[in-house]
Structures are given as structure tokens and as C-alpha cells.
Amino acid sequence: MKQFKTLSFGLFAICLFLSSNLMAQKRDIYELKTYHIETPAQEAMLDSYLEKAFIPAAHRHGVDKVGVFKPIASQPDAGQKVYVFIPFKSLDEFEAFEGKLLKDQTYLKDGDSYINAAFDNPPYKRIETAILRGMSEHPKFASSKLTNDKKDRVYELRSYEGPTERLYRQKVKMFNSGEMDIFERLNCSPIFYAETIAGANMPNLMYMTTHENMEIRNEHWKQFGVDPAWAAMKDLEEYKNTVSRNDTRLLYPTNYSDL
């Protein structure tokens, strides 16, 4: 009987371990690409490629939605950057994606002017890439719940950098333990919350919320600052000094963006 109990406990532990791993695997993987551009011609070439070649190919190869965003006019980098958000179900899917594109003859044809651009007429200055994993309490991306015209919306992309890995993990814990709930309650319509697993500004987390317009965006942050739940958690000892830099980007979605 004792041996049977030991065996049963061992099987339970294995099942629990496998279950935990399965849950971890269900967290989305995101690729966030930032194209740095210098001219309207580069922007036009990139728009054409993304709309007519890349996004249709992504849909063909299992990526349901691709987000494409640009800085709003008031931002200092307006006209200089294009953000492309690509959600994958797993790292394996992410790793296989480029190979699928390179075998897709329709993609190669539709994207020819971008793919085979001359060295002295490139479609961008450079590309930055961050690989992200959805947070445990918000493991999947979501389309915005907003219904107003895309051109009027403000999409807010934030990166919170931590001074150390330990303090960064505490900020992630803060998000998973209630901070995300405040955004949800205030109808900030989040697209994603994620931990950066490869990128230029680690350790950092990133997230994107959406607002009908700038006035409502500002009102949301005003409400966030006085929210009772935020007041209760922001001064807790375990969450002090968890953010060394807040990088905020105010964006709008292109007319061909899925998100």
C-alpha cells in the first residue's frame, strides 16, 4: 500500500509538471519589428510590401492577425518608424515562419520590389526586433474592442525597463497581480502584455493599450492614477523601484492593419 501511494504521488507530480509546461506553452510568442525609415519613398515601399505581400502571406501561413502602427503626428519620430506586431502560438511557429515565406511563390512575387530592393535604394534604414512572450495572466493577444474609426484611435505602446532582473520580475508580478485588471476595468482595451525574452532594452516588459482618441487616453491615465487598487499596491515595499525607464510610444494603426 505504501508503495502504491508513493507511485500515485509520483504520477500526480508528473501530471502536474506536464500540465504546468502545457500551460506555459500556451502563452503567445510575439515578434515586434521596428522599421526605421528616412524618406516618404521608403514608407510607401514598406506600406506596399506589408499590405500586399507580407500580411496576406502571414494569413496563409497561420498568423491570424498582424498589427502595423505608426507614430501619431505629435510624436518626435512621426514619419520615421513603422511598428509591425506579429503574434505566434509558439516559438516553433515563429522559427518556421520565415522558411515558409521563402517558399511561398505568391509572396515572393507580390513582395518583389521590397525583397529584391537595390543596395542603394533600400526600403528602410534598419530593423530592430524584439521577441516577447505573453504574460501568464494575459497569455494571448486580443483585438481592440474599440469600434470607432482606426484613424482616430491612439494605440499606446509602453516598455518598462527594470534596474535589475529581480526588480524587473517584481514588476511583471505587479502586472499579473492586479495592474492589468485596472486597465481592463478602465476600458483601455489591451492588445497584449508581454515579457521580453530577446531585445535591445532588457530586462523589460512591454504592453499595448488602445483608446478612442487622445482626450480619452489622457482621461484613462488620470483615472488610473487615482484608482483605489493602484493606490493600494503602488507603495508596497515589494514593488518599489521596479521601473528604471518608461518608454512610451503613441501610435495609430494603418488602414490595412489587422489590429
Side-chain angles (χ1 to χ4, degrees):
M1 180 63 71
K2 183 176 180 180
Q3 185 178 11
F4 176 77
K5 287 182 177 179
T6 302
L7 180 62
S8 297
F9 179 78
L11 288 173
F12 173 77
I14 292 172
C15 290
L16 183 62
F17 174 77
L18 292 175
S19 176
S20 297
N21 277 334
L22 183 61
M23 289 300 291
Q25 291 171 5
K26 290 183 178 180
R27 293 164 64 182
D28 280 345
I29 295 296
Y30 309 129
E31 182 179 18
L32 181 63
K33 302 177 78 170
T34 305
Y35 287 86
H36 293 251
I37 55 178
E38 298 179 299
T39 67
Q42 286 185 326
E43 184 175 7
M45 189 186 302
L46 185 56
D47 278 330
S48 179
Y49 162 73
L50 292 171
E51 179 180 10
K52 299 174 182 178
F54 181 80
I55 292 179
H59 293 167
R60 288 195 298 273
H61 297 295
V63 178
D64 293 334
K65 295 182 183 294
V66 176
V68 183
F69 314 98
K70 299 179 181 180
I72 64 175
S74 63
Q75 296 294 284
D77 56 356
Q80 300 174 25
K81 292 178 183 176
V82 177
Y83 296 84
V84 181
F85 173 76
I86 313 164
F88 298 96
K89 298 179 181 65
S90 67
L91 276 172
D92 287 343
E93 187 177 279
F94 161 70
E95 290 174 349
F97 182 66
E98 184 177 8
K100 292 178 180 179
L101 290 184
L102 295 178
K103 295 177 182 177
D104 185 331
Q105 295 304 311
T106 301
Y107 162 77
L108 296 174
K109 178 182 176 182
D110 293 344
D112 179 70
S113 60
Y114 170 96
I115 296 167
N116 295 308
F119 77 94
D120 55 354
N121 186 32
Y124 51 82
K125 181 181 179 181
R126 70 176 185 277
I127 304 173
E128 291 181 34
T129 299
I131 306 301
L132 318 171
R133 178 182 284 119
M135 287 191 184
S136 61
E137 297 305 308
H138 198 285
K140 302 290 183 181
F141 83 99
S143 296
S144 173
K145 298 176 183 177
L146 303 184
T147 57
N148 66 320
D149 289 342
K150 285 183 179 180
K151 64 180 177 60
D152 298 323
R153 300 179 194 173
V154 175
Y155 282 51
E156 186 160 0
L157 176 66
R158 288 197 170 207
S159 169
Y160 290 167
E161 298 175 26
T164 69
E165 290 96 332
R166 181 186 69 82
L167 290 168
Y168 155 75
R169 286 192 292 269
Q170 288 302 106
K171 187 60 181 176
V172 172
K173 178 184 176 182
M174 192 177 189
F175 265 80
N176 283 321
S177 300
E179 191 166 350
M180 287 187 288
D181 296 336
I182 303 174
F183 288 116
E184 188 70 30
R185 189 166 61 253
L186 296 177
N187 298 315
C188 292
S189 193
I191 300 295
F192 72 91
Y193 297 95
E195 302 176 51
T196 303
I197 57 177
N201 300 307
M202 297 177 68
N204 71 307
L205 63 84
M206 300 185 75
Y207 68 99
M208 176 180 277
T209 53
T210 60
H211 316 270
E212 285 88 345
N213 53 51
M214 184 60 74
E215 182 179 357
I216 292 177
R217 178 262 179 189
N218 293 339
E219 180 61 27
H220 281 158
W221 277 110
K222 181 179 178 182
Q223 293 174 3
F224 187 96
V226 298
D227 188 273
W230 176 247
M233 70 189 315
K234 68 183 179 69
D235 292 325
L236 292 176
E237 188 64 32
E238 64 177 316
Y239 297 139
K240 288 184 178 179
N241 303 311
T242 54
V243 177
S244 56
R245 182 171 179 261
N246 168 5
D247 184 65
T248 299
R249 306 287 171 171
L250 300 179
L251 314 170
Y252 70 92
T254 65
N255 60 0
Y256 58 85
S257 174
D258 293 327
L259 296 172

